[in-house]
Amino acid sequence: MLAFINAVVSMLLFMLAFKGLLSLEIVPSVFHAYSVIYLLFTPAFLGFILTTFPRFSSTPAVPQALYLKIFGLFLTGSLLFEIGVLFSPLIFGTGMLLLFTGHAWAVKLLWDMYHTSAMDDKHDLFRILTAMVLGVISHLFFIIGVWVFPLLLPVAIQTAIYLYLFLVGFSVAQRMVLFFSHCMVEKDVTLLKKITLLLAVHVLLEIIHPHLSFIADFALAYLVAKELLRWKLPFPNPNPLLWILHISLFWIPVAFLFAAMSNLTALLSDENFLFLDIHILMLGFLFTILIGFGTRVTIGHSGNMMQADKWTVFLFSWTQVVVIVRLITSMAAAWGWNFMVWFDISATVWLLMFILWGSRFFGVLIFGRKL
């Protein structure tokens, strides 16, 4: 719930600041990156992983009192960060420290679960934990970049997107989506290792020179596409709670292919695609699967029937509107197609997505309302 509220508030602030209608105490693009990574995706991921990781590792569940303390840090940190960017660097800096503390504390819990687990097969657990640790490191880099050494910010953002958010999302998805889809394909235990290596190469190439990562992106597009074909997912599927998850996976090779082509073009011609590579991966895969998993968990844990009604199908379809409009916005930035108009449309469809999802599911999530 906190993640979805932050998504609306932070996008409103960014939209107004980007258009010059609001003055922030931090660079708007930096605010946008930090708020999406650590105020939206991080609490959403932690809410899911702190519940599922104990099951994956066969360890005791996280005590509710401890879980609520971490949530309290994220809630307080989010409020201070979003208020502070309007009025005071001291306030938003305090918010960042609280968010980092909650983030590090949660990952420490995962670390303890991993090392106390008696399971023999820890491949997936290791990759999830590695990505979560890299998330804390990227968070620290981000704070240092904002306050001490700005040149560290690109490293923090690249690490957070590829070696934290994407790696966590894919590590969970390749396990859970196959399970939900009843796919009994033999598991490639080297897959996550190969993807992690290529993601590290991507980050390193971007640090060496902007847009040079197209080399790793072509390889990632091929590797993931080949693996998805091997899985033989039952798509198209009549169950919306499944096809939304499948679509999110299909976006991965498409996103890396777009990234490779746009970065290569930018390298050769200096055209600015306004972070097309990051946004298609973040929205096509991470945002889509966040809505898919979030909806599934909300319905299932509230005692409702595990099925999608017309409203849910509409919301799932709207996720793809968000992705396509953002793709067009990047094209507009590169080719001069009334960019500000497309920026407004892109921000609006994003806001509508979270407002509509909240109006439909907050009552279910908080009070267990029946659909």
Side-chain angles (χ1 to χ4, degrees), residues 58-341:
S58 296
T59 55
V62 177
Q64 185 181 38
L66 188 54
Y67 185 91
L68 289 175
K69 289 178 181 178
I70 294 173
F71 170 76
L73 286 171
F74 270 91
L75 175 60
T76 308
S78 297
L79 287 171
L80 290 177
F81 180 76
E82 290 167 340
I83 293 171
V85 294
L86 296 174
F87 303 109
S88 166
L90 178 61
I91 295 176
F92 84 70
T94 303
M96 294 176 80
L97 290 176
L98 290 176
L99 288 163
F100 175 77
T101 302
H103 191 179
W105 191 357
V107 173
K108 175 62 166 59
L109 294 179
L110 300 178
W111 179 280
D112 292 340
M113 289 180 217
Y114 176 82
H115 287 283
T116 57
S117 173
M119 294 185 63
D120 295 326
D121 182 4
K122 292 186 179 182
H123 286 97
D124 292 345
L125 294 176
F126 178 76
R127 295 301 166 190
I128 294 171
L129 179 62
T130 299
M132 294 301 293
V133 169
L134 288 169
V136 173
I137 293 172
S138 70
H139 201 157
L140 179 61
F141 283 177
F142 212 112
I143 292 172
I144 295 172
V146 168
W147 291 99
V148 181
F149 191 57
L151 291 177
L152 198 57
L153 283 172
V155 179
I157 293 172
Q158 286 288 319
T159 303
I161 297 298
Y162 293 98
L163 290 172
Y164 165 39
L165 294 183
F166 173 75
L167 193 54
V168 170
F170 187 76
S171 297
V172 173
Q174 58 91 35
R175 180 182 179 122
M176 300 296 291
V177 177
L178 284 175
F179 174 75
F180 292 148
S181 304
H182 304 292
C183 290
M184 299 296 109
V185 63
E186 184 179 354
K187 189 170 184 178
D188 180 359
V189 295
T190 68
L191 176 65
L192 289 176
K193 184 183 296 185
K194 289 184 286 190
I195 287 178
T196 302
L197 178 61
L198 284 172
L199 291 170
V201 172
H202 169 104
V203 173
L204 180 62
L205 290 172
E206 277 295 310
I207 293 171
I208 293 172
H209 192 286
H211 309 302
L212 196 59
S213 59
F214 76 90
I215 301 169
D217 292 338
F218 274 125
L220 283 160
Y222 171 77
L223 178 63
V224 177
K226 181 181 177 182
E227 185 66 15
L228 291 180
L229 288 174
R230 190 177 74 86
W231 290 353
K232 296 180 180 178
L233 294 170
F235 183 86
N237 195 289
N239 183 357
L241 293 171
L242 281 179
W243 62 245
I244 188 64
L245 302 179
H246 296 164
I247 286 175
S248 72
L249 289 174
F250 296 148
W251 268 113
I252 297 173
V254 173
F256 280 118
L257 185 59
F258 266 106
M261 293 188 297
S262 63
N263 279 318
L264 179 58
T265 303
L267 197 63
L268 297 175
S269 65
D270 290 329
E271 284 186 299
N272 180 12
F273 285 91
L274 200 67
F275 303 106
L276 173 66
D277 51 348
I278 289 176
H279 283 88
I280 297 305
L281 186 65
M282 290 281 284
L283 295 176
F285 171 54
L286 286 169
F287 165 72
T288 302
I289 206 165
L290 172 67
I291 297 298
F293 271 137
T295 303
R296 187 184 187 95
V297 169
T298 299
I299 293 174
H301 287 194
S302 60
N304 282 280
M305 291 284 292
M306 188 59 75
Q307 61 186 20
D309 58 15
K310 291 181 179 179
W311 254 107
T312 304
V313 173
F314 170 77
L315 290 172
F316 286 170
S317 302
W318 194 256
T319 63
Q320 301 312 288
V321 174
V322 175
V323 182
I324 297 301
V325 169
R326 184 56 186 80
L327 191 157
I328 296 173
T329 302
S330 281
M331 298 301 183
W335 298 333
W337 297 346
N338 295 318
F339 166 68
M340 289 309 300
V341 173

Side-chain angles (χ1 to χ4, degrees), residues 17-34:
F18 190 83
K19 293 170 68 68
L21 300 176
L22 187 68
S23 177
L24 300 182
E25 297 292 330
I26 188 173
V27 177
S29 59
V30 174
F31 166 78
H32 180 54
Y34 186 85

